[in-house]
Amino acid sequence: AQSVTQLDSQVPVFEEAPVELRCNYSSSVSVYLFWYVQYPNQGLQLLLKYLSGSTLVESINGFEAEFNKSQTSFHLRKPSVHISDTAEYFCAVSDGSQGNLIFGKGTKLSVKP
Amino acid sequence: DAGVTQSPTHLIKTRGQQVTLRCSPKSGHDTVSWYQQALGQGPQFIFQYYEEEERQRGNFPDRFSGHQFPNYSSELNVNALLLGDSALYLCASSLGQGNTEAFFGQGTRLTVV
């Protein structure tokens, strides 16, 4: 069975500081990996995804994540955060063939001025 | 493109009642998945509909049922509501069963009193 662990439930950082949100997964098969962001009282928005190919994937708003198969990790990073990045971030895994997503419990990123 | 739309946005029901939630997928998508997100938790997969049939199901009781219509829209029905069914219910649409990218709606906030 697949599972996702997000090690930090809350991450407070100051504006313009770097941030890393950690995600580890377990699976016996090849996986697709995703990061979703959820703003208050809203649904989930896809931030970035790894399907195959380059292990480093980037989003349009400066986030990046690196797929590390040996460490079964897919950590999310941003070199300089903005107040507007304050949200909850969910890491998810899918084996692709089945289609259902397995989510972690989420990490609340709080960016302070 | 309206994206994934869900209705209603909020709902209050009494224990023992039945509820129906609705979802219209993103234009061009033929697969609809439903997720339950309890407060402070990540979304949990309920079931997926493709070609008007339930193709996959998560660990939810039979009180949770669904339907997909020929226009790919979908309904989630929950019978004999329990207090623990209070959650944000998210609908996600995608193209085909293999999940390379799922788009989520804003969700329906269900409160059972």
Side-chain angles (χ1 to χ4, degrees):
Chain A
Q2 297 169 326
S3 67
V4 175
T5 302
Q6 292 184 245
L7 297 165
D8 306 298
S9 59
Q10 297 188 41
V11 174
V13 294
F14 287 104
E15 193 174 18
E16 298 183 6
V19 71
E20 178 180 81
L21 306 184
R22 296 179 291 171
C23 172
N24 288 88
Y25 69 93
S26 66
S27 176
S28 58
V29 299
S30 296
V31 295
Y32 297 157
L33 293 158
F34 306 83
W35 276 99
Y36 282 87
V37 58
Q38 186 174 39
Y39 297 100
N41 300 314
Q42 293 193 23
L44 302 173
Q45 298 176 31
L46 180 66
L47 190 59
L48 45 76
K49 61 184 178 182
Y50 170 78
L51 304 181
S52 64
S54 173
T55 57
L56 183 67
V57 290
E58 298 177 350
S59 72
I60 57 173
N61 56 354
F63 283 94
E64 65 178 30
E66 186 162 19
F67 170 56
N68 188 319
K69 187 174 183 179
S70 62
Q71 296 188 8
T72 61
S73 67
F74 191 56
H75 302 330
L76 181 69
R77 301 183 182 94
K78 189 170 185 179
S80 176
V81 293
H82 300 292
I83 298 287
S84 59
D85 293 324
T86 295
E88 189 156 19
Y89 293 78
F90 291 93
C91 181
V93 64
S94 164
D95 70 4
S97 63
Q98 295 298 312
N100 59 297
L101 292 165
I102 306 297
F103 285 89
K105 291 189 175 182
T107 297
K108 289 184 179 177
L109 175 63
S110 176
V111 181
K112 304 177 187 303
Chain B
D1 183 2
V4 180
T5 58
Q6 292 185 243
S7 62
T9 55
H10 296 83
L11 203 52
I12 300 176
K13 289 286 189 179
T14 305
R15 273 181 300 175
Q17 284 189 313
Q18 179 263 345
V19 69
T20 298
L21 311 181
R22 296 177 176 82
C23 173
S24 292
K26 180 179 170 62
S27 177
H29 284 184
D30 57 6
T31 302
V32 173
S33 302
W34 287 92
Y35 293 80
Q36 180 195 66
Q37 186 179 15
L39 202 60
Q41 301 294 318
Q44 287 198 303
F45 175 73
I46 303 174
F47 44 54
Q48 182 186 79
Y49 277 84
Y50 175 69
E51 293 186 339
E52 301 180 50
E53 290 189 12
E54 182 183 295
R55 298 289 180 164
Q56 292 182 75
R57 189 178 183 90
N59 189 24
F60 279 81
D62 292 344
R63 298 187 298 108
F64 289 77
S65 63
H67 188 76
Q68 186 178 35
F69 299 94
N71 66 353
Y72 307 122
S73 65
S74 176
E75 289 182 348
L76 163 65
N77 301 293
V78 187
N79 294 322
L81 284 166
L82 304 173
L83 295 179
D85 294 331
S86 295
L88 181 67
Y89 288 85
L90 295 165
C91 170
S93 75
S94 56
L95 183 60
Q97 285 187 272
N99 195 351
T100 57
E101 185 163 352
F103 289 80
F104 284 79
Q106 301 277 71
T108 294
R109 173 73 64 187
L110 172 65
T111 303
V112 183
V113 297

